Amino acid sequence: MSKDISKLIELNDLVSLAFRRKHIIVLNPRDKQIDENNTNSNIQYDKSDWKIPDNIKVFVNDLSRSSYLSDEDKILLIYERLCQDYIYDDNLISYIQKVDDESFDLPDWYGRDVDSNWEQNRELHNRRVCYEVSRYLAESLNEIFKDNDDFNVCILWDKGLTHYFVALTSDDYSITLDLDDFNNIKDLTRVKAGLTAQGINILDDENGKFGRALDRFNEGKAKDAIKKIESEVSEKKESQKGNQSEVEEPDDVTFLRNAVEILANEHNLDSQGIYEYMKEIIDISLGPERRKKVWKKLKGDNEKSTRFVRCLILSIDNQSYLVDVDEMTVRPFDEKEFEQEDSNFIPYKNLDRGWDERYDGS
């Protein structure tokens, strides 16, 4: 499938109107077909080649050959598969530097401009950042529609927000697909938890073709994370009647503990997924002023493999509680733990991770 640059520029204009921000069109460096000296600065080739992971290739090939699935279903199925197979690498957050109120910066070596050592280390786990999952999705769509010139796919880069996501345009519709939409609970988390996909934005769909497919995809799934977990916790409590713990604690703590157990054991969410989900339901049910973020250090085999994840400290009935997303528990917390020599917890504002403290991707 060759790229129609004029259609991608029109697509980017639609995205700019919808998002109220201009984006940079990013293309696969393996498919160079335009003279970079004769194009505008809003079109660039990516820093790394786009590849389809081996564990996804067979699925993509099956979608490509399928004659009974619609194009829209193929798009949604590969989107769903990537959401199921990968989790967000929340260690990246520890490297973000704020430039001003509306722009941030990250080192390119963290997923954007990578070497072979990084790629080899990433194969050891399924944690990925937006640069990586966007390449997987864009290249998978290119492969699925390689014989269909009606479709044009690119990655869009919001440089100020250090963010990649995928955009697609066809004769019937134009859409964006963002597995890692940081304005909401990410679809990398929502899809695993049985929630509706919220990272897909329909820009133009005159006949409602993609809209109908997306409605079918979301049918029967809950939109609001808190309503779904409240229902699941209620079901759990009903099934445990007569077998209640004798430990007395505030009802809010019991609810949050049950929520974490369900997210971990029934939905198999990772640390980042539990953090996002719990943060949203805490903000809605208790209020954001009742919680604060804290770092937890996860020591690796060496300094370059050490990671940091975000946990939450809550204030409930004049007692502090820790939502430890690594251990996937809720427990009382004493801030004196910060002072302990072997403590892995760090006040959020106290972590200053320089880019020379390079992470190896493992």
Side-chain angles (χ1 to χ4, degrees):
M1 180 179 67
S2 61
K3 290 285 184 295
D4 187 326
I5 300 302
S6 63
K7 288 186 177 180
L8 292 180
I9 292 173
E10 291 175 5
L11 172 61
N12 195 23
D13 289 341
L14 278 177
V15 175
S16 297
L17 284 173
F19 288 61
R20 298 296 188 261
R21 295 174 68 90
K22 191 69 174 177
H23 298 80
I24 296 170
I25 296 170
V26 178
L27 304 175
N28 191 343
R30 289 204 321 270
D31 301 330
K32 289 197 173 182
Q33 66 183 65
I34 59 174
D35 184 352
E36 289 179 280
N37 295 320
N38 294 326
T39 190
N40 62 59
S41 61
N42 278 325
I43 302 176
Q44 296 183 15
Y45 285 98
D46 209 347
K47 293 282 189 178
S48 298
D49 287 343
W50 300 359
K51 300 175 183 177
I52 302 174
D54 290 340
N55 61 308
I56 301 294
K57 279 182 180 178
V58 173
F59 185 69
V60 169
N61 290 338
D62 288 343
L63 290 178
S64 300
R65 291 191 294 265
S66 175
S67 58
Y68 65 88
L69 288 171
S70 69
D71 292 335
E72 298 72 49
D73 288 338
K74 291 178 181 180
I75 294 169
L76 291 166
L77 284 169
I78 187 58
Y79 185 86
E80 179 183 43
R81 175 64 184 268
L82 291 171
C83 286
Q84 293 285 5
D85 280 18
Y86 292 97
I87 62 179
Y88 184 71
D89 182 5
D90 47 347
N91 177 61
L92 170 127
I93 306 296
S94 65
Y95 283 100
I96 291 179
Q97 294 182 0
K98 190 171 185 177
V99 178
D100 56 37
D101 285 346
E102 296 184 357
S103 63
F104 301 84
D105 208 358
L106 275 171
D108 272 354
W109 53 258
Y110 208 126
R112 185 163 182 268
D113 188 3
V114 300
D115 56 22
S116 58
N117 181 61
W118 176 279
E119 292 185 337
Q120 290 170 7
N121 286 336
R122 300 309 258 182
E123 293 303 314
L124 302 174
H125 56 78
N126 67 340
R127 297 187 302 273
R128 299 294 186 271
V129 297
C130 66
Y131 303 130
E132 296 164 309
V133 292
S134 291
R135 293 186 187 113
Y136 297 166
L137 178 56
E139 189 62 5
S140 295
L141 293 173
N142 279 336
E143 179 63 25
I144 290 169
F145 298 121
K146 64 182 178 182
D147 297 322
N148 190 337
D149 289 337
D150 288 346
F151 287 84
N152 279 272
V153 177
C154 70
I155 287 173
L156 293 180
W157 181 23
D158 189 324
K159 192 172 182 179
L161 297 180
T162 65
H163 187 57
Y164 271 17
F165 59 96
V166 174
L168 175 149
T169 187
S170 72
D171 290 346
D172 293 313
Y173 44 80
S174 295
I175 60 175
T176 61
L177 302 119
D178 191 350
L179 298 81
D180 170 28
D181 177 10
F182 48 80
N183 293 311
N184 302 292
I185 297 177
K186 297 171 175 46
D187 278 355
L188 285 168
T189 296
R190 292 183 63 88
V191 170
K192 293 183 187 74
L195 297 168
T196 57
Q198 294 293 307
I200 300 174
N201 188 13
I202 300 174
L203 306 167
D204 180 37
D205 185 13
E206 186 174 346
N207 296 314
K209 192 174 183 182
F210 193 87
R212 289 190 295 274
L214 183 58
D215 287 343
R216 290 194 300 272
F217 179 81
N218 284 329
E219 189 174 0
K221 300 173 184 175
K223 180 180 179 182
D224 297 312
I226 189 168
K227 290 183 178 180
K228 187 170 192 297
I229 199 66
E230 284 175 343
S231 174
E232 291 171 330
V233 168
S234 178
E235 290 176 5
K236 180 177 180 178
K237 289 176 66 176
E238 187 67 24
S239 68
Q240 292 179 339
K241 271 188 175 179
N243 190 31
Q244 301 286 345
S245 170
E246 294 183 3
V247 177
E248 289 192 10
E249 62 184 6
D251 290 343
D252 287 332
V253 177
T254 303
F255 168 75
L256 295 174
R257 178 177 289 110
N258 283 327
V260 169
E261 290 177 1
I262 289 168
L263 295 175
N265 299 329
E266 297 183 22
H267 298 302
N268 298 313
L269 292 193
D270 56 288
S271 62
Q272 163 65 18
I274 290 177
Y275 170 84
E276 283 187 316
Y277 206 119
M278 295 301 293
K279 176 176 171 291
E280 179 169 301
I281 65 174
I282 288 165
D283 285 0
I284 293 172
S285 62
L286 300 178
E289 70 280 0
R290 299 275 293 278
R291 56 88 180 161
K292 59 184 177 181
K293 295 179 283 188
V294 60
W295 293 107
K296 184 176 184 181
K297 183 177 183 179
L298 306 179
K299 296 176 183 177
D301 295 333
N302 55 67
E303 282 302 313
K304 287 191 174 182
S305 61
T306 294
R307 299 188 297 117
F308 291 85
V309 298
R310 294 167 298 169
C311 298
L312 293 164
I313 295 176
L314 313 175
S315 175
I316 299 175
D317 291 355
N318 298 315
Q319 166 71 51
S320 292
Y321 292 87
L322 173 73
V323 180
D324 187 333
V325 300
D326 171 49
E327 296 289 339
M328 300 184 181
T329 58
V330 178
R331 65 169 175 85
F333 182 80
D334 189 330
E335 296 205 0
K336 290 180 180 178
E337 289 188 38
F338 290 136
E339 302 167 9
Q340 296 174 2
E341 187 174 343
D342 59 347
S343 176
N344 293 319
F345 294 100
I346 304 168
Y348 200 79
K349 64 181 181 180
N350 289 5
L351 180 64
D352 182 15
R353 201 170 191 191
W355 292 358
D356 55 342
E357 188 185 335
R358 189 159 178 160
Y359 172 62
D360 63 10
S362 62

